[in-house]
Amino acid sequence: MTFASMFGDLIVLFSFLLAGFVIREIVKPLQRLYIPAAVIGGVLALIMGPQVLGWVEIPKSFSSMAGVMINLVLTCTVIGVDMKKSKLNAYLAHLCIMVSIYGMQMCVGTWLGSILSGTWPELPFGWGTAAVFSFWGGHGTAAGAGKVWADEYGIQGITDIGMIMSTIGVLSCMIFGMVIINWGVRRGYATQATNDYKANPSMFGGVLPAEKQTPIGMAKVSSSGIDNFSLQLSIVLACMLLGNNVMSWLKGVIPALKPLPTLMNGILAGIVVWNIIKHTSLKGYVDRRTINSISGLGLEIIIVSAMATMNLKMVTDLFAPILIVSAAMIIITAIFAIVLCKWWHRDNWFEKCCGSFGASMGTVPTGLALIRCVDPDGKTDAADTLAIGNSIWAPVYGSMPALVPMFAMTMGLYVPIWMGFAMMAVPIVIGIIFFRQK
């Protein structure tokens, strides 16, 4: 495959992404349900592709894009992340809540998936693990984890299941999220919203008002030397290169490391590099906003390509078990978010509950969307707590799409089940001891 052919494939992909954005701008209900343009564009490609209408030939490279781009996205999650010491208590309380929810989703999803496999034997091995990657990380993480199952262990179909679960998660996030918000507002739990609150329309679609238009990055060096986006991308890609080379050498020296998937390389290198340079003057060259934009670009590619190549036959045949696991995730996640946030957060617990539920049903942006509904002017610390608390946890949950399939394949499904249980139970004990309100 030449670069010209790959570039041509990206032209097709971003054309569908643009079409998805246009459709989302026109069809207002899609905005209200917070369905991203990448999902709409991917579904459009799926419908127009050979599986449905056959009007468009989907490039073969689409099926491998998610596995490549997830490395870029995960490397971005650990570079340039800092936190404020004054908010440490809130960050740690949020961390306990999110780790506990993550562990619950892993434990219950894997366990329930293994039980349902007895009724639906055509379900792929380990499919229940898709619950945590779909509901927690959204379409991008689900696609990345599915590619690990497929590329590393030859288990096909988990990506397709993950795409459906992720879509259910995003829809449920906004539908049930609004139910939670209305309940909390009526009960007087919200500090910044009243019974007649209205979400800012610009959050859903259209051009942002001038006062809300913010830069996607900050120039750290003069453009006469290097473009800022190019500099930040170079930093990320250099970490990936370093991680690949170092891990390749270590695996040759230490055979026990060979089972580690390549998905870990960029994450580990990013953690090491950032923790070194943040204590030097080189820290000033790193711009977190631009790195977030790079991560966002990678996620768009992952989502469109994964949705466009989803196996429709498998999904339709296995929709019943997918719906059962999804329903369990929605109900239990809502209970955990409400109860734990009310127990442990000292200030603005309801706003933080909305963010926790939203992030646990999709991604940090969906969590922030719910926070904006109850805190439109950003007067609470809910958004900051969500962003930083998740960033602290990012290196761990970012590595899970690589580690969970490895553990399940080498030691059995009971490992992610019990590992999830430990992740769920230990933070609850810690939270009860240190954060429980008296």
Side-chain angles (χ1 to χ4, degrees), residues 243-266:
N244 289 337
N245 290 336
V246 172
M247 286 303 295
S248 178
W249 175 77
L250 286 174
K251 288 179 180 180
V253 176
I254 309 173
L257 296 178
K258 288 184 178 180
L260 286 178
T262 56
L263 202 65
M264 295 285 297
N265 298 354

Side-chain angles (χ1 to χ4, degrees), residues 386-404:
L386 174 66
I388 298 299
N390 272 39
S391 297
I392 299 172
W393 171 231
V396 179
Y397 75 71
S399 64
M400 287 295 113
L403 294 177
V404 169

Side-chain angles (χ1 to χ4, degrees), residues 15 21 91 141:
S15 296
F21 171 75
Y91 297 154
T141 305

Side-chain angles (χ1 to χ4, degrees), residues 218-228 231 285:
M218 300 296 293
K220 294 293 185 174
V221 293
S222 171
S223 59
S224 63
I226 186 174
D227 172 73
N228 183 62
L231 172 61
Y285 288 98

Side-chain angles (χ1 to χ4, degrees), residues 42-74:
V43 171
L44 180 64
L46 178 66
I47 294 172
M48 296 181 67
Q51 292 192 73
V52 184
L53 298 177
W55 292 351
V56 176
E57 181 180 354
I58 302 300
K60 293 181 178 179
S61 62
F62 274 32
S63 61
S64 61
M65 284 184 181
V68 175
M69 296 306 297
I70 193 64
N71 289 279
L72 174 72
V73 172
L74 294 180

Side-chain angles (χ1 to χ4, degrees), residues 159-218:
T159 297
D160 306 315
I161 293 172
M163 290 297 98
I164 292 298
M165 282 190 177
S166 297
T167 303
I168 292 174
V170 171
L171 291 172
S172 301
C173 169
M174 302 313 297
I175 295 171
F176 293 102
M178 291 304 172
V179 172
I180 292 173
I181 287 172
N182 278 278
W183 167 77
V185 169
R186 291 190 176 95
R187 295 292 296 269
Y189 295 141
T191 62
Q192 302 299 319
T194 60
N195 286 338
D196 60 346
Y197 80 93
K198 292 184 179 180
N200 187 346
S202 64
M203 179 185 73
F204 297 99
V207 178
L208 286 172
E211 66 274 11
K212 294 189 176 182
Q213 295 178 11
T214 57
I216 62 173
M218 300 296 293

